Amino acid sequence: MKHPLKTLFLLSCFGMGLGFAGIANAQEETLDVVTDPSFVPFEMMDQDSGEMVGFDMDIINEVAERAGFEVNLRTMDFNGIIPAVQTGNVDIAIAGITITDERAEIVDFSDPYYDSGLRLLVGADDDSIETVEDLEGKTVATKIGSTSYDYLQENLGDSAEITPYPGSSDMYMALLGGSADAVFYDAPNVGYFSQTQGEGRARTVGPLYEGQQYGIVLVKDSEWVEPVNEALASMKEDGTYDEIHTKWFGSSSEE
Amino acid sequence: MDVNFQFDWQAAFASLPHLVAGIPYTLLISFGGLAIGFFIGIFFGLLRISPVAWLRWPAIVYIEIFRGTPVLVQVLFIFYGLPQLLGGPINALVAGIAAIAVNSGAYISEIVRGGVQSIERGQREAGLSLGLSRVQTFRDIIWPQAFRRMIPSLGNQGIISIKDTSLFSVIGVGELVRQGQIYIATTFTALEVYLMVALLYLAITLSLSIALRMLERKGLVGQ
């Protein structure tokens, strides 16, 4: 008579048990760190290990070790990252995030850890686009919530079809699939793509736009800002930063 | 069948270990949310059929709100919006479970209402005339019969909620779809990986369907 209820309840418990079993236990001083699922070569999944790897990952792991916290890493679409730090739902974000005044109003940034900018990527056989001005009347892919999207809005407005995508792979697939004429996005990312998966199919053109700096994002007034900055400074001092930079970009930072 | 495109089986199978890592989250959110939603549903479902107006109306309001807004909006509201009201952070997993709970709870309320109302009035009169109290009549005569009628609809809602969790990749829960997206981000094998993701969802929902069918059979004998 009461079997159905019991069985349903047991089923639920079984499902939840399975779920809990798959989730690691948290420890003391573990900070929730969030990153983007794909921003080569800063964060990407290593196909063999299934772990997130990249320049940012090496930086944050080293910072965590020096500042004294454990990293509990999650991924989130870029446009959700800063809101998640703003609410305090996560403690730290590292995802090639450009330091801007608007963002600094709602979250705290560490000292800059990487110099960047924006660049155009077009199809390998496309000669019609050299600069942002050439995008008029064309379709350009970029990422939701990114500085490149803001730049395009300001400089092109309605004169071009600006299509914002949630993920990097989405924009690149739009370019390779022909639904976009160009991608306008962070220079190291488009550069890396044009030399790896996009090789022979896409190339970077034009100058570097908008000199920018990336910073680690923390909750407003977080107690961790100071330890993170100290960790970054000591990494730059003892050569660890240059080691990581060389590993991912093939050259040491010209600082 | 002679298909003329490149389907990379190796890429599809290579993605499986990464995708499977998302299954615990998918199961935890859906079953955790459904377990809570089931009790919410019984509570509001019974309020909904109360003859007392001030008990009935809160239930109507709750059901209409959560049945009438998308579950994606609900989870975004809970994860990004609620912290500003509460002044404290919300864990993504908790936000996901809460969204499934309130969303499935609204649907289950209606399932409960329909189930209870489908039992003939004569059953209640028979119970009362046997000298049982109203609570006993409901608990021992009406509810068991009504619940049996609810099982197919509850199973249906379970399957819907499992699929709804696929939307929660947006709040950074590493469930099945998110695992697939991360994998595609480095391999660009969208076709193969999303097919695998779809098959894994099917495996989960089919297991539930089979379990429910066994449950129904069990429920129909020995009563």
Side-chain angles (χ1 to χ4, degrees):
Chain A
M1 203 154 80
K2 290 189 183 148
H3 283 318
L5 237 181
K6 228 187 238 173
T7 319
L8 196 75
F9 183 72
L10 284 174
L11 260 180
S12 311
C13 290
F14 178 67
M16 286 174 77
L18 271 180
F20 277 120
I23 293 165
N25 285 328
Q27 286 175 345
E28 277 186 0
E29 291 292 39
T30 299
L31 298 189
D32 283 326
V33 178
V34 69
T35 188
D36 184 286
S38 69
F39 183 63
V40 293
F42 292 83
E43 37 266 339
M44 53 193 160
M45 193 192 70
D46 177 54
Q47 280 180 58
D48 299 329
S49 67
E51 300 287 315
M52 293 297 287
V53 295
F55 178 75
D56 276 352
M57 297 299 100
D58 286 355
I59 293 281
I60 196 69
N61 287 331
E62 187 66 29
V63 164
E65 199 165 310
R66 293 183 189 217
F69 59 86
E70 296 271 326
V71 172
N72 176 29
L73 189 74
R74 287 217 314 271
T75 64
M76 214 180 253
D77 286 342
F78 187 76
N79 55 322
I81 288 178
I82 290 178
V85 179
Q86 184 192 0
T87 55
N89 289 346
V90 295
D91 303 300
I92 292 188
I94 183 163
I97 303 169
T98 303
I99 302 171
T100 69
D101 295 344
E102 294 82 7
R103 289 171 178 170
E105 278 174 24
I106 50 171
V107 293
D108 274 351
F109 277 99
S110 71
D111 294 334
Y113 71 93
Y114 186 85
D115 290 332
S116 178
L118 305 173
R119 202 182 285 281
L120 267 172
L121 181 81
V122 297
D125 313 317
D126 187 353
D127 301 323
S128 66
I129 301 170
E130 284 292 337
T131 63
V132 165
E133 288 73 44
D134 299 333
L135 291 171
E136 284 194 14
K138 305 221 183 232
T139 307
V140 54
T142 182
K143 199 184 268 191
I144 302 174
S146 66
T147 50
S148 44
Y149 177 75
D150 297 340
Y151 184 89
L152 288 173
Q153 285 289 20
E154 267 168 49
N155 290 275
L156 290 171
D158 296 333
S159 66
E161 186 84 39
I162 303 164
T163 315
Y165 288 93
S168 303
S169 49
D170 306 328
M171 337 179 279
Y172 292 134
M173 285 199 260
L175 177 72
L176 298 180
S179 50
D181 300 313
V183 170
F184 186 64
Y185 194 49
D186 294 49
N189 185 254
V190 294
Y192 188 88
F193 177 80
S194 69
Q195 289 158 20
T196 52
Q197 287 122 339
E199 201 186 359
R201 297 190 288 172
R203 60 190 182 93
T204 55
V205 291
L208 188 72
Y209 292 92
E210 294 268 287
Q212 299 179 330
Q213 292 184 305
Y214 294 161
I216 298 173
V217 173
L218 299 101
V219 179
K220 200 85 188 142
D221 304 319
S222 164
E223 55 178 306
W224 290 100
V225 176
E226 207 46 50
V228 164
N229 282 340
E230 281 167 16
L232 281 173
S234 73
M235 284 160 62
K236 284 187 175 170
E237 219 157 283
D238 67 13
T240 315
Y241 177 89
D242 272 342
E243 251 170 63
I244 297 173
H245 196 282
T246 307
K247 174 179 166 187
W248 293 103
F249 300 104
S251 62
S252 67
S253 60
E254 305 105 288
E255 291 222 343
Chain B
M1 227 170 77
D2 202 45
V3 189
N4 211 358
F5 70 88
Q6 289 293 308
F7 186 86
D8 187 348
W9 281 107
Q10 218 174 344
F13 287 122
S15 71
L16 271 178
H18 304 289
L19 299 179
V20 166
I23 289 179
Y25 291 95
T26 294
L27 291 179
L28 178 65
I29 296 170
S30 45
F31 284 98
L34 281 165
I36 301 166
F38 181 65
F39 290 104
I40 293 177
I42 292 176
F43 180 74
F44 281 108
L46 296 182
L47 283 189
R48 177 73 183 73
I49 48 181
S50 161
V52 187
W54 60 267
L55 286 175
R56 197 169 59 239
W57 271 102
I60 293 174
V61 170
Y62 164 78
I63 291 166
E64 292 303 338
I65 287 176
F66 287 100
R67 209 174 47 165
T69 52
V71 70
L72 180 59
V73 175
Q74 288 164 17
V75 82
L76 289 171
F77 179 85
I78 292 170
F79 187 71
Y80 289 113
L82 268 193
Q84 292 176 24
L85 289 178
L86 303 175
I90 287 184
N91 171 293
L93 204 59
V94 172
I97 291 172
I100 292 291
V102 295
N103 184 270
S104 69
Y107 285 97
I108 292 170
S109 300
E110 286 294 276
I111 293 170
V112 167
R113 177 173 77 106
V116 172
Q117 285 182 335
S118 74
I119 303 300
E120 304 75 17
R121 291 190 62 91
Q123 295 287 325
R124 181 163 178 266
E125 286 156 12
L128 293 174
S129 64
L130 282 170
L132 297 174
S133 73
R134 278 162 59 180
V135 172
Q136 281 175 316
T137 302
F138 182 81
R139 194 188 61 199
D140 298 336
I141 295 175
I142 312 264
W143 178 256
Q145 299 182 73
F147 184 75
R148 230 181 310 153
R149 291 184 186 177
M150 293 174 206
I151 292 179
S153 308
L154 288 173
N156 201 24
Q157 183 54 47
I159 287 171
I160 290 171
S161 290
I162 288 170
K163 293 186 298 184
D164 280 346
T165 61
S166 66
L167 299 164
F168 298 173
S169 56
V170 297
I171 58 167
V173 178
E175 44 66 71
L176 249 173
V177 169
R178 168 50 91 216
Q179 296 295 340
Q181 287 172 331
I182 295 174
Y183 193 78
I184 291 166
T186 46
T187 60
F188 288 73
T189 47
L191 179 74
E192 291 82 358
V193 176
Y194 283 136
L195 181 73
M196 285 293 142
V197 169
L199 290 175
L200 286 172
Y201 275 112
L202 259 183
I204 297 171
T205 53
L206 281 176
S207 323
L208 182 70
S209 295
I210 290 163
L212 281 157
R213 204 161 302 153
M214 284 160 63
L215 192 68
E216 265 183 80
R217 280 217 197 99
K218 244 176 109 172
L220 291 175
V221 291
Q223 287 273 343

